[in-house]
Amino acid sequence: MDLGIKEKVVIVMASSKGLGKATALEFAKEGATVILSSRNQQTLDETAAEIKETSGNQQVFSHVCDISKEDDIQKLVQFVADQFGRIDVLINNTGGPKAGGFDAVEDADWYKAFDQNLLSYVRTSRAVLPYMKKQQFGRIINVSSSSVKEVIDGLILSNTLRAGMVGFAKTLAREVAGDNILVNTVGPGRFATDRVAELDGIAADKQGVPIEQITEKSKSTIPAGRYGEPEEFAKIVVFLASAANSFMTGQSLVIEGGSLKAL
């Protein structure tokens, strides 16, 4: 299948590691021009070099951006527009908010989570949409969490803000579909990433057991019997963001190995 991605210009937020990095790599393999972004230039440079070597695609660039800062977002988008003349795909992605239940988070945590996990996606989308509308083509994919379908205990901030993200994406999708701009949300379940290892570690500390015990218990709840590999997630994102997907928009998909019971 020709995904129609070759030479498309793709911005992948929070792409120096984890699912963002895996997604950027898959786009590079398909021949896209890929712009990596995160807060640390050294890490970005190392990731860009690794992706170039692995994919054989030298059109991989990086630009520092703290997604919680509007000025950084504007500078990133302006850099891409100036350098490449277009923006075809935006992958909205950021780290998860502070873990904890209702009594473990304060107002400051709520404000930070809102800024990082919802408002940042609004700002990046607002910044790229004029370019997408002008060229009458665009794909915006919001990386969320499987909690958009079934909440996860001990992650009240994530559960709340991810749900808001779905409402934002669905509404935006309806508003821009006439410009051939498709907006979808993808919620990963448990993948072999640093974030999942962090959450398993928190659970292990709380229960006073080895992290291996937590991990194996978690895997036993997944019908596939394992955590997903980041590239498995990335391949689905790449399809949704490609020209091969020409009609699916406003959807919220979960990729979780069959673990959710309420869909």
Side-chain angles (χ1 to χ4, degrees), residues 24 36 85-86 90 146 151 157 182 186 197 206 240 250 262:
L36 311 176
R86 61 186 296 118
L90 168 67
S146 62
V151 298
L157 293 177
L182 308 184
V186 182
K206 185 176 181 179
L240 289 174

Side-chain angles (χ1 to χ4, degrees), residues 233-244:
F233 174 84
K235 290 179 186 298
I236 295 174
V237 173
V238 169
F239 168 75
L240 289 174
S242 74

